[in-house]
Amino acid sequence: MSAIHLLRKLSRKPPSRLHRNLLSSTFSMDLPPDLARTTLIRPFSNHPAIFTNSHRLIPSCFRQSNLLPNLVSEKTKSIGLSSREFSTSVVETNTSDRVVGLSPNPLVIERIHKGEETIGESVSGGEIIGNEIKKSEETLVREESEAEKEAWRILEDAVVRYCGSPVGTVAANDPGDKLPLNYDQVFIRDFVPSALAFLLKGEGEIVRNFLLHTLQLQSWEKTVDCYSPGQGLMPASFKVRTVALDENTTEEVLDPDFGESAIGRVAPVDSGLWWIILLRAYGKLTGDFSLQERIDVQTGIKLIMNLCLADGFDMFPTLLVTDGSCMIDRRMGIHGHPLEIQSLFYSALRCSREMLSVNDSSSNLVRAISNRLSALSFHIREYYWVDIKKINEIYRYKTEEYSTDATNKFNIYPEQIPPWLMDWIPEQGGYLLGNLQPAHMDFRFFTLGNFWSVVSSLSTPKQNEAILNLIEAKWDDIIGNMPLKICYPALEYDDWRIITGSDPKNTPWSYHNSGSWPTLLWQFTLACMKMGRPELAEKALALAEKRLMADRWPEYYDTRSGKFIGKQSRLYQTWTVAGFLTSKLLLANPEMASKLFWEEDYELLDICVCGLSKSGRRKCSRVAAKTQILVR
Ligand code: GLC
């Protein structure tokens, strides 16, 4: 896009309704003089909260960025663990290095230096969280491997700056790539593992900047051929562009892509959900809750939630989306109610319930969030779960049942059970279906959706265990030579032709069609740690570590066992690098990891708002459901 074109696009933007509302509200976000000056340009005029020219107060983000370097002395880094009630404490590690910790029981990571080089780190502290995570009282001394050192270098090189401040990481930095397409942009979903790696290392500034700048993009006037998608949508990605204002002056602008340039014009539904999840993670890992409490940030959460909870024609509590609206951002038969979106939706709902301040203006939304959480978890636990017993039930289903208490509610014909599944399903273990619609079950195993269900407690504790049992039993299929298959199995022959539209990039066992994506390691690690089985993650990580550096950090691998670097795979893919580092850091810091997952919420299990009493004409379908949602 030419600079003129871009500037025209920027100057066309009238203030949105949100903008007007925000203008009339009394809050202001104060930026330091430098940033405030450089950002007083069109793209941000949408969001007055950021673009007030007020320098009255030291802005909280800059207080934070000033604070973090204080936590990190030249020789020693300390990450204070905190909850909302943290108290600042001072931990003396030696007389010359004073380190500020933030919790009564801080986790201390000491970088061990030899000359200029970091050669390892020592971790101490931690406590038992629930029953599922082990205490790390002992001091570990861990030496950074060559792969880790290189990974940090690549991650630092991938950092994108805007007006001098770090705001994200590019998707890939492949020097040999002559046609980067949009891989030179900051993708919201791709940045999450980078953000976690930085946070776990004690660097919060880039994450804070990312969250605030993407918040500005949310209120952007977005159009696809003169149609405006809903307010609250977060872009799939953004790029920092330098545009000439006149002969002598240039300005940097952030240019978002809401799908209007994306291949296939796919809707980035997962972006807003990841944004909310990252916002909570930022608070949990830094102890800086002031960010989520800001009025503009609260408004951002509400806009995303309102968009997700808006009434439509849906019959189910699951979120109805078009194909390719998440990590798999191409046609792959994942329209309707795909699991990945549901698990992210569920955790975004839980995060929002935790972060929204309850007052007169938010109480209805908070109530709607709780009700949706409860209905969504029931629906997924009850109808998406498959194991050998359930497959046998489906195999014997009666069809064409017309009644409110039908067994085969979705009218699934037993012939739909794919032959591969009958042999594949292990005695122990199970998983959540890829998708469920009227008369259709997608029996493919989708990795991210299943892992994130474990992490967020969308699935029951027993189901969580069973999902990891399945991974163990099917190790060669899901992990093979390179963790982890994005889904299993591949669509082949007519399925590939009809469902992908003969997509040459998504041929069987490649890319989204059952390619292996090392970035998924961090979600796997979190799921394993939550379930007290870190050794599974360690095994997968060791496998990845053997190849990733030598293979130059590919985006994905191909073939049934993940043996070859993907045919069109980018090299030096940032989220491959960041996923690897985040897994390493999570395993080394179990207490930090425990801040990123959710335990069962028993309160949610009690909520039922349908109003149908057992004695009424009709029964509540939940009560009538045969299975116990807690124990299944
Ligand atoms: C591909 C992936 C998508 C990712 C993007 C940038 O399009 O499918 O999930 O965000 O590349 O890495």
Side-chain angles (χ1 to χ4, degrees):
M1 185 186 302
S2 71
I4 300 288
H5 194 103
L6 183 65
L7 279 173
R8 269 205 212 114
K9 180 174 150 188
L10 304 178
S11 57
R12 260 204 322 263
K13 289 158 51 55
S16 62
R17 188 155 50 84
L18 167 70
H19 180 187
R20 287 194 298 272
N21 292 346
L22 291 175
L23 265 176
S24 62
S25 67
T26 51
F27 63 89
S28 69
M29 185 269 180
D30 305 280
L31 291 174
D34 277 4
L35 193 60
R37 196 167 8 87
T38 44
T39 49
L40 277 171
I41 49 173
R42 287 298 304 168
F44 297 108
S45 59
N46 243 10
H47 222 299
I50 281 285
F51 297 101
T52 62
N53 205 2
S54 157
H55 308 149
R56 276 166 294 132
L57 298 169
I58 301 167
S60 47
C61 63
F62 284 84
R63 246 185 266 129
Q64 175 61 22
S65 60
N66 290 338
L67 172 69
L68 280 163
N70 289 343
L71 292 174
V72 181
S73 73
E74 270 299 294
K75 288 185 183 164
T76 310
K77 293 194 175 188
S78 163
I79 298 175
L81 288 171
S82 64
S83 64
R84 274 175 171 272
E85 58 280 1
F86 74 80
S87 62
T88 304
S89 60
V90 177
V91 181
E92 298 277 346
T93 53
N94 69 38
T95 44
S96 60
D97 287 308
R98 217 165 70 108
V99 183
V100 180
L102 298 173
S103 86
N105 182 19
L107 183 88
V108 179
I109 299 181
E110 287 191 359
R111 293 265 149 145
I112 300 161
H113 290 256
K114 189 178 158 200
E116 288 291 275
E117 230 187 350
T118 304
I119 56 163
E121 59 188 25
S122 122
V123 182
S124 63
E127 62 186 33
I128 297 170
I129 308 290
N131 296 324
E132 296 176 331
I133 191 159
K134 302 282 172 291
K135 186 163 174 136
S136 65
E137 275 299 334
E138 76 278 16
T139 296
L140 308 168
V141 176
R142 198 171 66 78
E143 198 166 315
E144 264 186 356
S145 64
E146 283 308 310
E148 274 170 276
K149 285 182 205 157
E150 179 172 291
W152 276 118
R153 279 195 295 274
I154 297 170
L155 189 60
E156 301 288 353
D157 282 351
V159 169
V160 171
R161 291 182 173 270
Y162 172 63
C163 300
S165 303
V167 291
T169 48
V170 284
N173 227 342
D174 184 349
D177 189 357
K178 299 282 172 286
L179 196 68
L181 297 174
N182 50 356
Y183 281 79
D184 59 357
Q185 305 209 2
V186 180
F187 277 73
I188 310 300
R189 72 175 77 83
D190 292 41
F191 182 65
V192 176
S194 300
L196 294 177
F198 285 123
L199 288 173
L200 289 165
K201 197 182 168 204
E203 289 174 18
E205 187 200 353
I206 185 170
V207 183
R208 189 182 172 101
N209 292 342
F210 169 88
L211 288 164
L212 287 172
H213 283 298
T214 44
L215 182 66
Q216 307 315 303
L217 302 177
Q218 187 189 31
S219 56
W220 192 275
E221 187 207 357
K222 36 202 170 276
T223 53
V224 181
D225 298 338
C226 297
Y227 172 72
S228 300
Q231 214 176 33
L233 192 69
M234 280 282 179
S237 60
F238 66 85
K239 190 174 167 65
V240 178
R241 296 188 195 277
T242 306
V243 293
L245 291 179
D246 55 44
E247 271 176 21
N248 306 317
T249 340
T250 58
E251 285 280 16
E252 281 188 342
V253 293
L254 293 185
D255 188 18
D257 178 8
F258 288 94
E260 73 272 27
S261 313
I263 296 165
R265 302 292 185 264
V266 281
V269 179
D270 64 341
S271 289
L273 306 174
W274 277 123
W275 185 86
I276 290 179
I277 294 167
L278 184 59
L279 177 65
R280 174 188 179 267
Y282 172 84
K284 286 277 185 181
L285 295 182
T286 62
D288 171 19
F289 293 101
S290 65
L291 184 68
Q292 57 184 252
E293 284 159 7
R294 283 169 46 146
I295 298 174
D296 55 344
V297 174
Q298 290 276 316
T299 306
I301 303 173
K302 286 180 196 164
L303 284 174
I304 298 170
M305 283 293 111
N306 283 334
L307 191 59
C308 292
L309 296 173
D311 288 338
F313 289 106
D314 323 13
M315 294 295 290
F316 309 135
T318 35
L319 203 58
L320 180 62
V321 297
T322 47
D323 214 341
S325 59
C326 52
M327 175 185 180
I328 298 181
D329 52 358
R330 287 167 91 87
R331 182 173 159 191
M332 267 291 288
I334 53 163
H335 49 278
H337 305 96
L339 180 65
E340 176 174 334
I341 288 289
Q342 311 317 323
S343 61
L344 295 176
F345 179 37
Y346 180 80
S347 48
L349 286 164
R350 282 194 74 166
C351 295
S352 303
R353 198 169 69 135
E354 213 177 294
M355 293 189 294
L356 278 174
S357 345
V358 185
N359 51 40
D360 287 351
S361 72
S362 67
S363 57
N364 284 345
L365 180 62
V366 173
R367 198 169 316 113
I369 289 173
S370 294
N371 292 343
R372 189 63 170 261
L373 273 167
S374 160
L376 180 61
S377 70
F378 172 81
H379 184 88
I380 297 281
R381 291 166 176 208
E382 184 67 19
Y383 304 127
Y384 276 59
W385 183 249
V386 273
D387 54 14
I388 197 158
K389 185 164 158 267
K390 181 70 181 285
I391 293 170
N392 208 159
E393 258 172 51
I394 301 172
Y395 185 66
R396 292 166 50 77
Y397 263 170
K398 289 194 195 59
T399 56
E400 311 296 333
E401 291 175 281
Y402 179 83
S403 79
T404 48
D405 51 8
T407 309
N408 182 3
K409 290 192 170 60
F410 303 96
N411 201 32
I412 306 297
Y413 286 93
E415 291 73 10
Q416 267 180 42
I417 302 175
W420 64 264
L421 185 60
M422 303 288 248
D423 297 330
W424 192 73
I425 193 80
E427 290 287 333
Q428 304 291 320
Y431 65 99
L432 295 167
L433 289 172
N435 207 340
L436 176 68
Q437 321 224 49
H440 176 65
M441 277 182 172
D442 184 343
F443 287 96
R444 280 176 292 171
F445 172 84
F446 283 87
T447 308
L448 177 48
N450 271 283
F451 290 164
W452 209 253
S453 299
V454 174
V455 169
S456 65
S457 277
L458 171 57
S459 30
T460 68
K462 279 200 167 173
Q463 289 171 343
N464 294 342
E465 256 171 50
I467 291 170
L468 290 190
N469 289 342
L470 179 117
I471 300 292
E472 221 178 351
K474 296 290 159 188
W475 189 266
D476 292 345
D477 290 329
I478 308 295
I479 295 186
N481 290 300
M482 177 54 68
L484 285 133
K485 280 256 148 23
I486 196 165
C487 61
Y488 180 89
L491 297 168
E492 295 184 284
Y493 311 107
D494 276 355
D495 281 347
W496 168 76
R497 199 173 51 75
I498 295 163
I499 297 173
T500 73
S502 305
D503 186 343
K505 216 173 161 186
N506 273 336
T507 50
W509 308 103
S510 180
Y511 199 41
H512 300 136
N513 190 7
S514 289
S516 300
W517 292 66
T519 188
L520 293 170
L521 261 173
W522 77 267
Q523 283 107 341
F524 181 49
T525 303
L526 210 48
C528 291
M529 293 183 79
K530 171 174 169 182
M531 299 312 296
R533 294 168 79 175
E535 68 288 349
L536 281 182
E538 273 156 13
K539 197 169 139 199
L541 188 59
L543 208 58
E545 186 155 12
K546 268 204 267 164
R547 289 190 61 185
L548 285 180
M549 186 163 101
D551 290 349
R552 290 170 292 162
W553 310 93
E555 180 186 15
Y556 65 96
Y557 286 74
D558 283 355
T559 74
R560 222 171 232 280
S561 64
K563 213 173 186 169
F564 295 106
I565 298 173
K567 61 183 164 187
Q568 289 189 45
S569 170
R570 252 70 193 183
L571 300 178
Y572 300 102
Q573 178 82 18
T574 308
W575 70 352
T576 298
V577 171
F580 166 76
L581 285 175
T582 298
S583 293
K584 283 268 180 187
L585 289 166
L586 289 171
L587 283 164
N589 305 301
E591 187 163 349
M592 296 294 246
S594 74
K595 308 223 167 250
L596 300 175
F597 51 70
W598 291 260
E599 300 298 340
E600 180 75 300
D601 185 335
Y602 292 96
E603 215 180 89
L604 289 174
L605 300 176
D606 290 337
I607 303 176
C608 183
V609 289
C610 72
L612 298 170
S613 74
K614 280 181 199 155
S615 56
R617 190 174 66 85
R618 280 169 51 219
K619 279 188 183 155
C620 165
S621 57
R622 284 215 220 169
V623 176
K626 273 186 281 168
T627 48
Q628 286 295 313
I629 55 171
L630 183 61
V631 294
R632 274 272 326 219

